[in-house]
Amino acid sequence: MSEERHVLVLPDRDTAEDVAQELTERFGVHEEPQLIRDALAGEDDAEDAQWLVVVEDPKGRLDPRALDDFAAEYEGWLEAP
């Protein structure tokens, strides 16, 4: 299995923080996910930013479809590799 990185796109910081915490509980993610603010092109207003939750998956054990479904519960999605 190859090392993977999954990027979940969420609508705001609070949601991203909730998702990062839930990833540990629901999927058993051992390494703390990284949260990154992703301003939309041409926008400086923080209200127009999406948040990315980056999950390292060194053993390739996380199911991308399950992660996408999980992100959808929070009005987000899994970014295609």
Side-chain angles (χ1 to χ4, degrees), residues 1-80:
M1 294 200 169
S2 63
E3 181 172 335
E4 292 186 34
R5 172 179 288 159
H6 305 284
V7 179
L8 286 75
V9 182
L10 288 306
D12 57 56
R13 182 182 184 132
D14 288 342
T15 303
E17 289 174 348
D18 291 345
V19 165
Q21 182 175 7
E22 185 71 19
L23 279 166
T24 302
E25 297 166 11
R26 192 183 297 192
F27 291 94
V29 172
H30 299 294
E31 196 170 316
E32 186 166 338
Q34 182 180 5
L35 275 60
I36 300 171
R37 180 180 178 272
D38 183 33
L40 300 176
E43 297 292 337
D44 293 328
D45 188 350
E47 296 300 315
D48 292 326
Q50 294 174 326
W51 282 79
L52 308 178
V53 176
V54 180
V55 183
E56 299 295 335
D57 185 16
K59 296 183 179 164
R61 64 178 189 80
L62 297 174
D63 178 7
R65 203 170 341 182
L67 289 173
D68 189 45
D69 290 345
F70 171 65
E73 293 175 24
Y74 292 89
E75 299 178 15
W77 65 89
L78 177 66
E79 190 71 15

